[in-house]
Amino acid sequence: MNKLTENILCEQFEIKEEVIKFVREKENLILDKFKGIDDIKEYNQYKVINAMQKCRLASTDFNWTTGYGYGDIGRDKVEEIYAHVFNTEDALVRPAIASGTHAITLTLSGILRPGDELIAITGAPYDTLQKVIGVKDNMSGTLIDYGVKYKEIPLKENIINTEKVKDAISKDTKMLMIQRSTGYSDRRALTIEEIENAINAIREYNKDVIIMVDNCYGEFLELREPTDVGADVMAGSLIKNPGGGIALSGGYIVGKSKLVEQVSNRLTAPGLGKECGLTFGTTRSTLQGLFLAPHIVSEAVKGALLVGITYKELGFKIVPNIDDVRSDIIQGVELRSPKRVVEFCRGIQAASVVDSYVVPEAWDMPGYEDKVIMAAGGFIEGSSIELSADGPIREPYFAYYQGGLTYEHCKLGVMKSLNNLYKNKLIDMK
């Protein structure tokens, strides 16, 4: 770091010199890991380019229509490319899908019928999905409300407990659900190898049960995706990894054709399926975001490593650990007090390029059990592939950091969060 850079950090961003020095020292401990991240980025970048070329992406594909969306060639091309990238028979990629939770809800409600059983085999899903299923708050319109049966199988030492899963499968079991990422938990994300081992073991016992993966935060973290190792259907958000910080909105579902068709009938209407649904001219930004996604994800992973090593060296528990295989972009830090969670998130907000002057407060966010504090100042509202952090105000007081379109922005976020804790005497850097 040259003197001019250090000066702007001190004078313009009001970061203390000792904080800058501390982060620089810890950064040196992880630089050797960046090559492995770059190797994964390179492979995934070529995979995306190859998919676009194989699908003969043309400038005319960025045109769009109106009304029902008949003849929206851009929409069809996006879905063809997504199917190639994720090695599936079909894809549904639409700006009308509001979030990752919405994409997963469409998948579950489109495939499951009254009397069918859903088993979450990675323990309790994250907060918003628990409300979708109906295990919290007794809301109307949930899966349970519509007659879907539900069970959970906890992980065993962070691994899918396939023996318990086999015991739990009944004649009514139609779908097993895997949540790849950590969510608001104290576990690391499941690796592709771990997902593959579980799917293989389950398939030896039952070849017909549908295996669905919530892939939010996990795209392009490894050389393979869950659909490369046997997942039947998978869902995610475009304002997370695959949108590359450019996609304006949307979600995706990829998988076997008959399953994607069922989900499309839920998105629009039976008989309409994928044939309707306007893209509102989002094809260009959706595909440009996908093109950039492998690089953007690699920057975010490097940033997560920097957060991890910085707070680990201060004595805080981190998930995943520095040497763990990373399978999502999230870095959890157990800060052990609500005040630290708040100041951590306020530091991330202060590093943002949009709404940097805003001071986040914990609030009763829809879909969550506890008050949640969120730091997010991105070009796309709510985009968690951009620099962001959040956490529920509950013990043991984890803050979850994710995103960053450039590593330098990630580094600024680390320094601003640490600076906040340091100046409020919530940490000791000695």
Side-chain angles (χ1 to χ4, degrees):
M1 184 182 293
N2 62 49
K3 194 63 179 174
L4 285 175
T5 303
E6 190 169 326
N7 285 345
I8 196 172
L9 289 171
C10 290
E11 296 170 12
Q12 303 300 320
F13 292 101
E14 300 179 341
I15 299 172
K16 296 184 178 295
E17 289 184 19
E18 50 266 53
V19 169
I20 297 170
K21 180 183 177 185
F22 187 86
V23 173
R24 285 172 59 195
E25 288 174 351
K26 304 317 165 190
E27 180 183 39
N28 289 331
L29 301 175
I30 58 168
L31 292 178
D32 62 322
K33 296 185 178 297
F34 285 11
K35 183 183 184 305
I37 296 169
D38 288 338
D39 287 345
I40 293 170
K41 171 188 70 175
E42 184 176 20
Y43 172 80
N44 283 317
Q45 184 68 78
Y46 295 147
K47 181 172 71 173
V48 170
I49 292 171
N50 181 59
M52 292 181 174
Q53 291 182 348
K54 275 196 168 184
C55 296
R56 299 176 67 85
L57 178 62
S59 57
T60 52
D61 290 325
F62 302 135
N63 296 331
W64 59 293
T65 182
T66 57
Y68 297 118
Y70 295 140
D72 193 326
I73 59 174
R75 177 193 66 210
D76 297 339
K77 189 56 62 81
V78 167
E79 291 176 346
E80 184 185 2
I81 289 169
Y82 260 73
H84 272 274
V85 168
F86 292 105
N87 191 26
T88 60
E89 294 174 1
D90 204 356
L92 185 68
V93 188
R94 301 295 167 98
I97 300 175
S99 65
T101 299
H102 187 194
I104 297 161
T105 302
L106 283 171
T107 305
L108 299 177
S109 59
I111 296 171
L112 296 168
R113 300 289 180 267
D116 289 341
E117 184 176 67
L118 168 68
I119 305 178
I121 65 172
T122 47
Y126 56 87
D127 296 49
T128 56
L129 201 56
Q130 291 182 42
K131 296 195 175 186
V132 169
I133 294 165
V135 293
K136 282 191 177 179
D137 288 359
N138 196 29
M139 301 174 70
S140 63
T142 66
L143 293 177
I144 291 174
D145 191 36
Y146 277 101
V148 174
K149 302 172 185 177
Y150 176 70
K151 288 191 291 206
E152 291 173 3
I153 306 297
L155 293 172
K156 182 180 180 181
E157 297 176 354
N158 211 80
I159 301 295
I160 294 172
N161 191 338
T162 54
E163 293 307 311
K164 291 284 188 184
V165 172
K166 292 174 187 177
D167 290 341
I169 292 175
S170 70
K171 62 180 178 59
D172 295 325
T173 305
K174 188 171 187 179
M175 181 185 289
L176 306 179
M177 181 174 65
I178 296 172
Q179 180 180 303
R180 181 178 178 182
S181 79
T182 178
Y184 279 166
S185 73
D186 60 356
R187 71 166 174 89
R188 59 169 176 75
L190 294 176
T191 68
I192 295 298
E193 182 180 5
E194 289 165 347
I195 293 172
E196 179 180 31
N197 291 340
I199 290 175
N200 288 342
I202 292 164
R203 287 286 181 238
E204 289 178 3
Y205 178 77
N206 188 311
K207 296 185 182 299
D208 299 322
V209 68
I210 297 167
I211 298 177
M212 178 265 177
V213 176
D214 165 7
N215 205 37
C216 288
Y217 301 102
E219 299 89 353
F220 307 125
L221 262 290
E222 298 194 52
L223 299 175
R224 299 181 296 171
E225 300 289 340
T227 43
D228 291 314
V229 299
D232 297 300
V233 64
M234 183 170 75
S237 168
L238 298 193
I239 61 170
K240 294 184 174 69
N241 300 18
I246 293 181
L248 300 177
S249 181
Y252 74 89
I253 296 98
V254 294
K256 292 182 176 178
S257 295
K258 65 178 182 179
L259 300 178
V260 173
E261 181 184 9
Q262 290 173 34
V263 177
S264 71
N265 286 337
R266 174 63 65 180
L267 176 66
T268 57
L272 299 180
K274 292 181 59 181
E275 303 305 315
C276 281
L278 198 60
T279 60
F280 303 96
T282 58
T283 297
R284 187 191 306 274
S285 59
T286 297
L287 288 178
Q288 193 169 13
L290 180 64
F291 171 75
L292 292 172
H295 175 73
I296 298 300
V297 168
S298 73
E299 296 288 276
V301 176
K302 291 173 184 176
L305 266 173
L306 184 60
V307 172
I309 193 64
T310 299
Y311 283 91
K312 180 182 174 69
E313 291 290 305
L314 288 167
F316 293 104
K317 175 185 174 181
I318 62 168
V319 180
N321 219 324
I322 296 302
D323 293 325
D324 287 341
V325 175
R326 289 183 176 253
S327 202
D328 68 6
I329 61 170
I330 300 170
Q331 180 64 62
V333 182
E334 186 183 304
L335 291 169
R336 303 193 294 268
S337 83
K339 181 65 174 173
R340 289 195 187 109
V341 172
V342 168
E343 292 303 331
F344 178 95
C345 289
R346 286 177 176 174
I348 297 296
Q349 185 73 40
S352 300
V353 289
V354 179
D355 293 333
S356 61
Y357 55 88
V358 172
V359 180
E361 297 284 353
W363 64 299
D364 294 311
M365 187 172 179
Y368 292 88
E369 190 74 11
D370 304 278
K371 286 184 181 293
V372 175
I373 185 166
M374 289 201 162
F379 294 101
I380 305 298
E381 186 176 353
S383 171
S384 47
I385 189 58
E386 298 188 59
L387 184 70
S388 52
D390 51 87
I393 306 302
R394 66 184 180 214
E395 293 184 339
Y397 302 110
F398 263 91
Y400 298 92
Y401 165 93
Q402 63 268 322
L405 301 182
T406 69
Y407 175 68
E408 291 73 24
H409 197 199
C410 298
K411 190 190 293 189
L412 179 63
V414 175
M415 288 187 286
K416 288 292 284 184
S417 70
L418 190 60
N419 199 64
N420 253 21
L421 294 171
Y422 184 60
K423 74 181 184 182
N424 283 287
K425 299 184 170 142
L426 296 170
I427 57 167
D428 185 354
M429 292 193 300
K430 291 181 182 177

